[in-house]
Amino acid sequence: MKVVIDLIEDIRESIGNAEDYVLTAGLLKEDTNDSDRLIYAGEAKLTSFQLDETKKALVFAIENSNGEITVGEVIPPLLIADMDVMMYEVRVNVNAQYSDMEVVGFGKNDEAQRYVLFIKI
């Protein structure tokens, strides 16, 4: 389980808060031959985010639009949020079948200027 403070720290350490990086969800699937191993299954741009106070989560979503969100849109409002928000879980809504997915890790693609939130499906 990743929380907001983990996201903020990883973005600072891995990409130096580069505001132009686009946020994406990286999809990982279990290997059918080895359940301890995960296989990269692609990625999709995240198009929106919101703080859900009832679920105590920062929820990103992939919607049917051509939009995208950047680090520069996400990090500034989180930095001024209350301290309890720092412990909110980071979740991703992919679609109706895969909603409220737990973020299991972070990554980056410097060439494409993408910051990746990995989810396991």
Side-chain angles (χ1 to χ4, degrees):
M1 170 181 82
K2 298 294 182 183
V3 295
V4 171
I5 192 72
D6 297 331
L7 175 69
I8 291 170
E9 287 179 4
D10 192 74
I11 286 175
R12 181 180 47 80
E13 291 173 7
S14 65
I15 63 172
N17 290 338
E19 294 184 359
D20 294 341
Y21 274 63
V22 173
L23 282 106
T24 62
L27 308 175
L28 302 173
K29 291 185 177 182
E30 276 188 18
D31 187 338
T32 54
N33 300 324
D34 181 2
S35 63
D36 291 335
R37 187 178 150 154
L38 297 173
I39 299 172
Y40 177 74
E43 66 184 57
K45 288 183 181 179
L46 297 169
T47 58
S48 67
F49 71 98
Q50 69 174 20
L51 284 172
D52 187 330
E53 293 180 10
T54 52
K55 290 183 182 178
K56 295 196 179 296
L58 170 61
V59 183
F60 291 93
I62 301 169
E63 299 166 345
N64 295 333
S65 72
N66 293 330
E68 61 187 28
I69 53 177
T70 63
V71 168
E73 295 172 70
V74 174
I75 295 301
L78 294 177
L79 292 175
I80 61 171
D82 291 336
M83 189 53 84
D84 62 327
V85 171
M86 297 301 163
M87 296 310 294
Y88 281 16
E89 284 187 63
V90 181
R91 314 289 286 184
V92 176
N93 288 332
V94 178
N95 56 30
Q97 182 181 4
Y98 297 109
S99 65
D100 201 32
M101 303 298 295
E102 178 181 339
V103 172
V104 296
F106 305 117
K108 66 176 180 166
N109 180 333
D110 288 326
E111 225 172 80
Q113 288 199 322
R114 291 190 178 156
Y115 184 79
V116 185
L117 308 178
F118 287 106
I119 58 174
K120 180 179 148 187
I121 56 172

